Amino acid sequence: MQHTSPGRAPRISRRHLLQAGGGMAALATLSLTACEADDGGGTTDDQAAPDPNRPLEAPELTELVDAGDLPPLEERLPAEADRLVIESAALGVYGGVYHGAVADQGDSPWLERVIGHEPLLRYDPNLDEFGLPGALREVTVNDTATEFTLQMREGMKWSDGEPVTSEDIMFAINDVFYDADLYATPPGLLMSGDAPCEAEQVDEFAVKLTFAQPKGDFIEEISRVANVVSANLLLFPKHYMEQFLPSQNPDAEDIAEEAGFGNWVDYWVDRRDWWNNPERPVLTPWIITNPLNEGNVTVAERNPYYWKVDSGGAQLPYIDRLEFEVIQEEEVMLLKAVNGELDFHSRHFNSDANKPVLAEARETGDFRFVDVQPTSMNRMIIALNMNHQDEELAEIFRNKDFRVGLSHAIDRQDIIDTVYQRQGEPWQAAPHPDSPFYDEEFAKQYTEFDVDLANSHLDAAGLTEKDTDGFRLRPNGERLRFSLDVTNTFPEWAPAADLVSQSWAAVGVDMQVNPIERSLFYDRKGAAANEHDANVWAGDGGLKIEMLEQRWWFPSGGESNFAMQWAEYYTTRGDGENAVEPPEETKRQMELARQIPLEPDPEAQQELFREILQIAKEQFYVLGIALPTPGYAVVKNNLQNVAESFPDSWLHMTPGHIDPPSWFFSE
């Protein structure tokens, strides 16, 4: 089966073994052994043969083995044929402490990106191929794409030395993802149509999943999902996590109460989040020893049972220890980069405005730039909460004339010139110019800065009455006033939002910028809390991942900030506690999205997606500001095996797909 990624035609890995067959697809076997390495991180074609005396494990681990405190390497790694070989530009050396940063104690996504990217199968570093072997050795698919057999790696171990077996996958599916207290409806990965798949334990290292209807997106999805909010089937070590589930442990509620939690679900989430729980076994290259939610430095140390090796047979990772300083002020983080105190970083301070400062400091700071290609389509999206608790305000936000009026009131070119160093162009939440789904009319609609036109649309929305200060009044006679939540994730957002606030005040709309810490931002915007008026986030999804990242095309999940309760309607099929039925046009998009993975023909999939985009264009859910330009990461000159150019995508947890376990410090 050729597994084609929606929206483009990715190359198929040379290690996909294809067998012609009838029906929807052919049988595909994806495999990788120690003798057949993947294509990640570079090439070893020009490498000299490794030194036969080169150590195959870190010296600190050898000392533990010699002391009898750790099993020998052969007993810690999977069976030789089941070891995942990571090829890279150079064979590395062991040692060193990596110095990084996180924005605050809510910045767990950066740790997931750097440390936690361990999907069942993988994408290549350039995100051109998927289905490469990962935590699974291989996946076989029947000719109708309704049965998937997951073959695990014999001898793979969790970070505490316990074996990884099919029991862990069965536990994840039946006891976690199918637990209605944890998931109102099963994750989409495990659904086809309206029915969840059935999981069968074939043997100690194999599980077969059977779907009622074709599951055309399964291989692609398991090639990237690897964070705690996704359906990663090897995220939960049964031997540890089962103690927190009432279905497995009758004392689970009591344990949660003793730990200071109000219910077992909250304690489960606390124990699940590995960045705050050093006790939790993982499959990651490094293990958290100082958690993110304690102190000013988060520390992760090498996993002695990590299951990947380099092309010379040496166990990864090369780097001994990672330290991430918690730095809430972007200026402080920037200063550390200028001084050469960060070994790698590709966000937070990596703005156009800061690039000249960093460029001048490269020699003294002993670091370099590498190119980061955006897959997003907008620098910042303004989302008005169409499901607002205040129904009158929600009705105003749902009025398209209101949103169009606000859009025409934004001087995007001024924001680009002032905040973004004249980099970019006015752009809505629409696909990138290099996308096969590019639509210039969609991208440019309502981007003209025109105060008269803005006022005309705002009047058409029924907001014609004003107070003595010139601000428009709501139907109830109160001033139309709301706040815009802005985090420090990107430092340009706050000054850009301030300019938007000034522009909107000029047309009689009182918007106040609300700087907010990231974890609180997420607490406020959730479908249950539903406390935000409006907020700002990046325009994820516009190039390479248009059909995968659907948050801005329609309310499709927990990142669709403009209508979180409509999104819950979609994700729970209307059964969620906070689900609210959306308008017919939006429900049509949801119907189309559900049809896409059932469609075997990639061109037919794209036609369905084009209809989703057309409705998004007509509905104009959110307001975009500017098209992103290529970005950059800062990398210390002695940090090796970092790709010189790579695409950035949260869905693929960049930089996880460029293999941080293979990075090393040159001597």
Side-chain angles (χ1 to χ4, degrees):
M1 174 192 289
Q2 287 196 350
H3 302 295
T4 54
S5 179
R8 59 194 177 93
R11 297 189 300 274
I12 303 301
S13 166
R14 60 188 173 85
R15 291 172 177 80
H16 284 56
L17 306 179
L18 304 177
Q19 174 181 318
M24 174 179 168
L27 177 68
T29 301
L30 318 174
S31 63
L32 184 72
T33 70
C35 298
E36 185 179 35
D38 89 303
D39 296 321
T43 176
T44 57
D45 292 345
D46 298 328
Q47 286 181 2
D51 183 346
N53 297 317
R54 176 174 178 256
L56 299 183
E57 67 180 346
E60 64 182 34
L61 299 184
T62 301
E63 292 177 5
L64 292 173
V65 172
D66 292 343
D69 296 329
L70 188 69
L73 179 63
E74 289 298 310
E75 296 178 18
R76 303 196 313 270
L77 288 173
E80 186 171 357
D82 279 354
R83 297 171 192 172
L84 179 54
V85 179
I86 299 298
E87 293 188 358
S88 55
L91 296 178
V93 294
Y94 291 114
V97 176
Y98 169 101
H99 295 95
V102 290
D104 51 46
Q105 292 186 336
D107 197 13
S108 59
W110 185 239
L111 299 182
E112 291 189 280
R113 286 169 174 252
V114 176
I115 299 175
H117 181 71
E118 299 297 354
L120 299 182
L121 298 176
R122 297 183 303 147
Y123 266 82
D124 77 300
N126 289 321
L127 305 183
D128 290 326
E129 301 176 8
F130 62 85
L132 301 173
L136 295 178
R137 189 184 74 193
E138 62 184 26
V139 174
T140 56
V141 190
N142 72 347
D143 61 0
T144 58
T146 55
E147 294 182 358
F148 299 81
T149 301
L150 316 181
Q151 189 63 50
M152 304 175 71
R153 297 181 180 277
E154 185 174 347
M156 176 188 276
K157 293 179 174 60
W158 295 99
S159 56
D160 61 355
E162 290 295 316
V164 180
T165 72
S166 54
E167 287 284 343
D168 294 302
I169 292 181
M170 296 297 292
F171 172 72
I173 295 172
N174 292 328
D175 299 300
V176 178
F177 295 127
Y178 289 174
D179 186 315
D181 289 317
L182 295 175
Y183 295 85
T185 58
L189 175 71
L190 301 175
M191 300 283 289
S192 183
D194 292 328
C197 69
E198 293 184 3
E200 174 189 349
Q201 189 172 10
V202 178
D203 58 37
E204 187 179 4
F205 299 109
V207 172
K208 183 169 74 171
L209 306 183
T210 302
F211 292 86
Q213 300 181 59
K215 184 65 175 172
D217 59 349
F218 183 80
I219 295 294
E220 190 284 326
E221 189 167 354
I222 64 170
S223 298
R224 56 181 168 78
V225 294
N227 58 327
V228 299
V229 297
S230 65
N232 187 342
L233 304 184
L234 275 177
L235 184 66
F236 306 103
K238 178 182 179 181
H239 68 280
Y240 175 77
M241 295 300 296
E242 64 181 348
Q243 64 183 304
F244 308 113
L245 288 179
S247 62
Q248 303 294 309
N249 179 11
D251 297 325
E253 197 70 65
D254 294 336
I255 292 174
E257 185 176 347
E258 290 173 7
F261 289 80
N263 58 70
W264 71 265
V265 173
D266 290 343
Y267 193 41
W268 162 271
V269 171
D270 178 79
R271 298 294 82 191
R272 176 200 67 185
D273 293 349
W274 51 264
W275 54 85
N276 288 334
N277 181 11
E279 298 175 359
R280 183 201 192 286
V282 293
L283 294 177
T284 55
W286 297 276
I287 309 165
I288 290 291
T289 53
N290 287 24
L292 177 61
N293 61 356
E294 295 180 11
N296 298 319
V297 179
T298 300
V299 178
E301 300 182 3
R302 120 179 14 264
N303 176 1
Y305 293 93
Y306 194 55
W307 42 281
K308 296 178 186 176
V309 297
D310 67 17
S311 58
Q315 185 185 34
L316 298 173
Y318 295 128
I319 297 174
D320 292 336
R321 175 184 171 104
L322 311 183
E323 295 183 356
F324 298 87
E325 187 173 353
V326 180
I327 305 173
Q328 296 186 7
E329 296 80 17
E330 177 259 329
E331 294 83 2
V332 176
M333 197 181 291
L334 172 63
L335 181 60
K336 285 186 171 292
V338 166
N339 291 337
E341 297 176 41
L342 299 179
D343 289 313
F344 173 94
H345 211 79
S346 62
R347 62 192 221 147
H348 300 119
F349 61 80
N350 300 68
S351 64
D352 293 322
N354 290 336
K355 191 170 185 179
V357 176
L358 288 160
E360 188 174 350
R362 281 178 293 182
E363 183 174 353
T364 57
D366 194 25
F367 62 86
R368 64 189 186 275
F369 289 153
V370 298
D371 294 331
V372 179
Q373 304 303 320
T375 58
S376 60
M377 47 66 184
N378 217 289
R379 291 185 179 274
M380 60 179 275
I381 300 288
I382 297 175
L384 307 176
N385 182 6
M386 298 188 194
N387 296 148
H388 203 287
Q389 294 180 24
D390 182 334
E391 181 53 38
E392 185 178 83
L393 190 56
E395 188 173 347
I396 293 171
F397 288 167
R398 288 195 294 265
N399 188 304
K400 181 179 176 180
D401 270 312
F402 180 70
R403 300 193 300 277
V404 171
L406 292 184
S407 185
H408 280 303
I410 299 173
D411 189 344
R412 290 172 173 81
Q413 193 59 53
D414 181 49
I415 293 174
I416 291 168
D417 293 344
T418 305
V419 179
Y420 292 111
Q421 306 298 300
R422 300 183 175 85
Q423 300 297 306
E425 61 179 290
W427 206 261
Q428 295 290 8
H432 192 279
D434 294 335
S435 166
F437 302 105
Y438 170 59
D439 177 347
E440 182 178 10
E441 187 177 64
F442 186 8
K444 293 296 186 177
Q445 67 179 353
Y446 318 128
T447 58
E448 178 187 3
F449 176 52
D450 188 326
V451 173
D452 291 338
L453 192 55
N455 279 317
S456 176
H457 279 282
L458 293 172
D459 289 345
L463 302 169
T464 56
E465 299 298 319
K466 298 181 180 179
D467 64 17
T468 55
D469 294 323
F471 286 100
R472 296 175 185 270
L473 301 179
R474 294 167 43 160
N476 66 5
E478 297 177 358
R479 176 186 289 190
L480 174 57
R481 176 188 288 118
F482 60 91
S483 63
L484 183 71
D485 290 356
V486 180
T487 75
N488 65 349
T489 304
F490 291 94
E492 317 96 283
W493 285 351
D498 284 336
L499 292 175
V500 172
S501 178
Q502 295 170 29
S503 296
W504 286 355
V507 294
V509 175
D510 186 356
M511 180 272 280
Q512 301 298 317
V513 178
N514 180 35
I516 192 171
E517 190 269 330
R518 180 172 179 151
S519 60
L520 182 57
F521 175 93
Y522 270 86
D523 289 343
R524 281 169 53 82
K525 76 163 189 163
N530 194 29
E531 294 174 348
H532 68 298
D533 296 336
N535 61 28
V536 164
W537 203 255
D540 299 77
L543 183 63
K544 291 197 174 190
I545 59 173
E546 305 93 319
M547 291 181 68
L548 305 177
E549 179 54 271
Q550 300 177 330
R551 67 176 74 179
W552 299 122
W553 314 137
F554 73 98
S556 57
E559 299 295 341
S560 295
N561 299 344
F562 61 97
M564 299 291 284
Q565 293 180 336
W566 290 352
E568 184 166 317
Y569 180 91
Y570 174 67
T571 59
T572 66
R573 299 176 183 264
D575 293 333
E577 181 179 354
N578 306 293
V580 171
E581 185 174 0
E584 289 301 318
E585 298 86 350
T586 305
K587 286 197 291 185
R588 173 59 180 164
Q589 291 179 298
M590 295 175 178
E591 177 187 339
L592 292 164
R594 296 196 194 284
Q595 291 178 20
I596 289 175
L598 302 178
E599 175 55 62
D601 181 5
E603 292 186 4
Q605 291 181 359
Q606 292 178 21
E607 286 308 306
L608 293 170
F609 181 62
R610 290 183 194 281
E611 186 175 346
I612 290 175
L613 287 178
Q614 182 60 35
I615 296 173
K617 175 181 176 180
E618 294 166 357
Q619 295 302 303
F620 187 57
Y621 293 120
V622 295
L623 287 67
I625 300 298
L627 183 71
T629 52
Y632 61 97
V634 295
V635 185
K636 286 287 286 186
N637 287 327
N638 67 336
L639 185 63
Q640 305 300 311
N641 278 346
V642 180
E644 291 303 309
S645 177
F646 56 87
D648 179 63
S649 166
W650 160 242
L651 283 185
H652 300 85
M653 297 182 68
T654 306
H657 58 88
I658 61 171
D659 295 318
S662 71
W663 297 353
F664 70 96
F665 294 109
S666 56
E667 297 178 4

